[in-house]
Amino acid sequence: MVSSGDDMRTIIVYSSISGFTERYAGWIAAALGADLRRLKEIGPRDIRDYDCIVYGGSLHAVGVYGLRKMKRLIERAGLARGAPRLLVFGVGASPPKPETIAQIRDANFTPEEQERIPFFYFRGGFDFSRLDPFHKVIMTLFKWKIARKPTKTPDELGMLKAYESPADFTDPATIAGLVDTVRS
Ligand SMILES: Cc1cc2nc3c(=O)[nH]c(=O)nc-3n(C[C@H](O)[C@H](O)[C@H](O)COP(=O)(O)O)c2cc1C
């Protein structure tokens, strides 16, 4: 049987602390008719039969949360480099400025990986009440750091406001580029 694009097996794997990345992962899985799993619930066996892996993690100090673990898992699954296809998306509270996205790419991928692994940034939000105790401590320290600054950027002021009432910028329309790339 000749394999068509429709036979491609795709899995969406994600890590999410407060639910924003989980929402994007669900939208992408539904759009592609793909399987959906949390990174912390899977091992190498769970990914080895897929042609395409889409990994999504929230941004933590510019790093895509769980990405290193995902890369190690792919290596342990004994998969040849470049196969299966890996695509990555990061979900952060910051507005999607080109310079921010370029910074995230450089912090998470080598130049060779940047050629090979398509990366997408989606805007999530911030909900302090949904963080686990560990991340609540980290983000409280971060809040104090911003609050102490004599002059604050508009993004920093927006961040401080989000501690008082949760901010949600998620938008299902923004996944279109990733969905098209997987299909192509
Ligand atoms: C410890 C920590 C560090 C963060 N660092 C960043 C960051 O560097 N850039 C950013 O845009 N958002 C940052 N955020 C905000 C989260 O990425 C954002 O709230 C995201 O939508 C959370 O997604 P999740 O609920 O799937 O974990 C950080 C949040 C935490 C808890």
Side-chain angles (χ1 to χ4, degrees):
M1 194 179 82
V2 178
S3 174
S4 77
D6 292 335
D7 296 330
M8 192 173 72
R9 292 199 65 198
T10 301
I11 185 170
I12 317 303
V13 182
Y14 69 95
S15 301
S16 182
I17 310 287
S18 49
F20 294 100
T21 309
E22 182 170 42
R23 200 177 306 162
Y24 278 108
W27 285 332
I28 294 163
L32 291 167
D35 292 339
L36 177 66
R37 300 290 299 273
R38 251 180 204 276
L39 177 62
K40 65 180 176 195
E41 289 165 0
I42 62 166
R45 279 162 188 259
D46 297 303
I47 55 166
R48 66 178 179 205
D49 292 334
Y50 289 91
D51 306 300
C52 177
I53 298 172
V54 178
Y55 178 72
S58 41
L59 284 178
H60 283 195
V62 195
V64 177
Y65 198 72
L67 180 58
R68 247 178 295 171
K69 188 176 167 197
M70 184 74 241
K71 287 179 189 171
R72 275 201 307 272
L73 205 62
I74 292 174
E75 273 170 30
R76 275 173 49 210
L79 306 162
R81 266 172 90 79
R85 211 165 146 217
L86 173 66
L87 290 85
V88 176
F89 67 94
V91 176
S94 312
K97 293 181 190 152
E99 60 270 29
T100 308
I101 298 170
Q103 195 191 7
I104 299 167
R105 271 209 181 88
D106 288 344
N108 291 277
F109 302 100
T110 63
E112 182 271 328
E113 286 173 334
Q114 293 188 31
E115 295 283 316
R116 179 164 55 87
I117 305 172
F119 172 75
F120 299 83
Y121 175 79
F122 303 135
R123 199 168 184 199
F126 186 67
D127 189 344
F128 185 82
S129 70
R130 295 189 65 183
L131 296 177
D132 54 43
F134 172 73
H135 289 103
K136 273 192 172 137
V137 171
I138 294 180
M139 291 314 278
T140 300
L141 296 174
F142 182 63
K143 180 187 175 183
W144 291 343
K145 196 175 150 190
I146 305 176
R148 271 204 312 268
K149 284 181 145 184
T151 49
K152 301 167 187 70
T153 66
D155 287 353
E156 286 168 342
L157 289 169
M159 193 67 208
L160 283 179
K161 234 173 90 186
Y163 280 84
E164 310 311 324
S165 52
D168 183 349
F169 305 102
T170 55
D171 177 0
T174 56
I175 67 168
L178 186 153
V179 168
D180 287 348
T181 306
V182 173
R183 285 194 182 129
S184 67

